[in-house]
Amino acid sequence: MMPNLQQLFTQTQENYELVPEFIDQLLASDVYCLGKQNPNQRIQFRVFETPDGEQAIPFFLELESIHNDLGTDAEYVILNTRKFFEMTLGATVILNPTSELSKEFQAEEIAKILEIHTDVSE
């Protein structure tokens, strides 16, 4: 059985060789992004401050994390990760920011991920 994305993310902490597989699956998956869609379909993302004082856009692998950590009334949108990365290009994003295991993606890292993982169907 294939591990779910959250399990795979956890496993990458002990087995660095799983990171490429995690990134592949992440790009193909939908994630939960804090924010709301306004009437003209533009998404307004919520921004967190990282421990370093930087601005980062949070996203989560599981809706449960948002509900448990931020409450069931937290506004979110569901987006494909690749699309989310493309929309937020140039910004720092942070995966599971309220969890013990989180991951910050810097703008350069996202650009590189998108470059390496270009969608062959385009």
Side-chain angles (χ1 to χ4, degrees), residues 16-62:
Y16 194 69
E17 291 170 9
L18 291 172
V19 170
E21 185 185 338
F22 169 71
I23 297 295
D24 281 347
Q25 282 192 34
L26 180 65
L27 287 175
S29 300
D30 287 343
V31 289
Y32 301 89
C33 311
L34 291 183
K36 57 182 179 242
Q37 202 159 10
N38 60 23
N40 59 3
Q41 301 301 303
R42 291 191 58 114
I43 295 174
Q44 219 180 336
F45 293 107
R46 219 166 118 189
V47 177
F48 274 27
E49 197 168 294
T50 68
D52 316 339
E54 306 238 342
Q55 302 283 301
I57 300 169
F59 71 108
F60 297 82
L61 296 177
E62 297 175 332

Side-chain angles (χ1 to χ4, degrees), residues 81-106:
T81 307
R82 176 184 300 278
K83 186 174 165 110
F84 172 64
F85 279 179
E86 288 167 352
M87 290 171 78
T88 58
L89 205 53
T92 298
V93 299
I94 186 164
L95 173 60
N96 294 347
T98 56
S99 131
E100 283 176 26
L101 179 58
S102 67
K103 160 90 176 103
E104 215 173 285
F105 290 91
Q106 301 292 333

